[in-house]
Amino acid sequence: MLGNAIVTGGSGGIGEALCRRLAEEGCHVFVCYSSSRERAEKIAGDIGGKAIRLDVTDPESVRAAVETVGFCKLLVNNAGISEIGLFDSLSAEISRRIMDVNLTGAMNCTRAFLPEMIRRKTGCIINISSMWGQVGASCEVDYSASKAGLIGFTKALAKETAPSGIRVNCVSPGFIMTEMNSRFSAEDLELIRQDIPLGIFGEPRHVADAAAFLASERAEYITGQVLAVNGGMVI
Ligand code: NAP
């Protein structure tokens, strides 16, 4: 799996694990950040990659990233945000922001990097969805909708681009210990843990291993799929 790989949200918990794992696989990794520049630069320094700013909601930022990176063989749409609250208590502005980052952001990046993949008839796209995109979560309605959208996007794009030699898949993580879940109290975490059949929380490396597999030649006949990494929480 040699070649350029670009990981949006590479400065986050799962993003960091993705960047480190893909570098182990021989990729030259572009560690993208939106605001966490120092963290991205540290990761890039460790793995011989490059940190670049990429706000997935900003067309100018996406365009600049394409100019810097050029052809990327692997695009991982990982950037994401979440917000917890009853659907009608969250503002339309928050709702729009979640869709902008999680779904439209992935579409923006894909639209920008896809033409060169099509021209070269090779490429791999991995979208990081969520188990809530598969089954829906109470108090995370906007988030669930955005992640369900990513699954639909993955399936449709896989059909459209397969004739061009491009594979598109999803990884659908369960409850992974990162900053995103730091809002939960110890009591809440214990209740959630009891709902996980394997009895432990996921780690970022679990998601990274699944993505590395989907990006590898071992997955050369796999496209349009959703690979769940959730300890059995959603089957
Ligand atoms: P995290 O640690 O909070 O990281 C989120 C990442 O998204 C950060 O790198 C952040 O960049 C980036 N980001 C936010 N807004 C952005 C924007 N406008 N443009 C570009 N990047 C932006 O979260 P995580 O747990 O690693 O989550 C990574 C992905 O996995 C997300 O899509 C999330 O929905 C998904 N996921 C997570 C879990 C979980 O339990 N943790 C479960 C299922 C799915 P900066 O810090 O540089 O701003």
Side-chain angles (χ1 to χ4, degrees):
M1 194 210 306
L2 298 171
N4 284 345
I6 180 160
V7 179
T8 70
S11 50
I14 291 173
E16 173 172 359
L18 285 164
C19 292
R20 292 187 185 278
R21 187 72 177 82
L22 293 172
E24 283 168 15
E25 295 291 320
C27 293
H28 180 252
V29 181
F30 289 84
V31 183
C32 303
Y33 63 91
S34 150
S35 57
S36 307
R37 178 179 180 167
E38 256 177 47
R39 185 167 178 191
E41 284 178 346
K42 166 81 174 74
I43 298 163
D46 288 350
I47 63 174
K50 188 172 167 49
I52 59 170
R53 181 156 193 284
L54 172 50
D55 178 341
V56 298
T57 66
D58 175 3
E60 181 49 36
S61 176
V62 175
R63 196 197 54 73
V66 175
E67 221 159 73
T68 306
V69 175
F71 171 60
C72 79
K73 195 168 177 187
L74 171 62
L75 165 65
V76 186
N77 287 310
N78 166 71
I81 55 172
S82 69
E83 194 69 50
I84 291 182
L86 291 170
F87 177 65
D88 57 1
S89 75
L90 296 181
S91 68
E93 174 53 27
I94 288 175
S95 173
R96 193 179 55 75
R97 182 78 192 148
I98 290 171
M99 296 305 275
D100 276 357
V101 176
N102 296 3
L103 179 56
T104 314
M107 290 173 151
N108 289 341
C109 294
T110 303
R111 190 176 291 111
F113 284 101
L114 190 60
E116 194 56 22
M117 290 184 181
I118 292 175
R119 200 181 69 76
R120 298 185 189 220
K121 288 205 168 297
T122 183
C124 181
I125 297 167
I126 297 175
N127 297 315
I128 306 299
S129 179
S130 161
M131 66 179 166
W132 300 138
Q134 296 176 272
V135 296
S138 167
C139 293
E140 286 191 83
V141 171
D142 299 291
Y143 180 79
S144 300
S146 71
K147 293 297 185 176
L150 263 185
I151 292 174
F153 173 56
T154 300
K155 292 182 178 183
L157 191 70
K159 286 184 182 171
E160 187 171 300
T161 59
S164 300
I166 296 160
R167 295 186 301 107
V168 189
N169 287 292
C170 247
V171 177
S172 179
F175 203 98
I176 311 293
M177 289 310 262
T178 69
E179 187 62 31
M180 191 171 266
N181 292 318
S182 57
R183 70 192 96 190
F184 292 104
S185 67
E187 295 75 42
D188 287 345
L189 286 174
E190 180 50 24
L191 287 174
I192 295 166
R193 193 193 62 74
Q194 287 171 14
D195 266 350
I196 304 173
L198 283 180
I200 50 168
F201 292 113
E203 294 172 28
R205 69 181 168 89
H206 294 130
V207 179
D209 283 342
F213 165 68
L214 287 173
S216 75
E217 282 175 10
R218 285 168 294 155
E220 67 181 2
Y221 201 52
I222 300 177
T223 195
Q225 301 305 307
V226 180
L227 179 51
V229 181
N230 62 34
M233 203 167 169
V234 165
I235 293 179

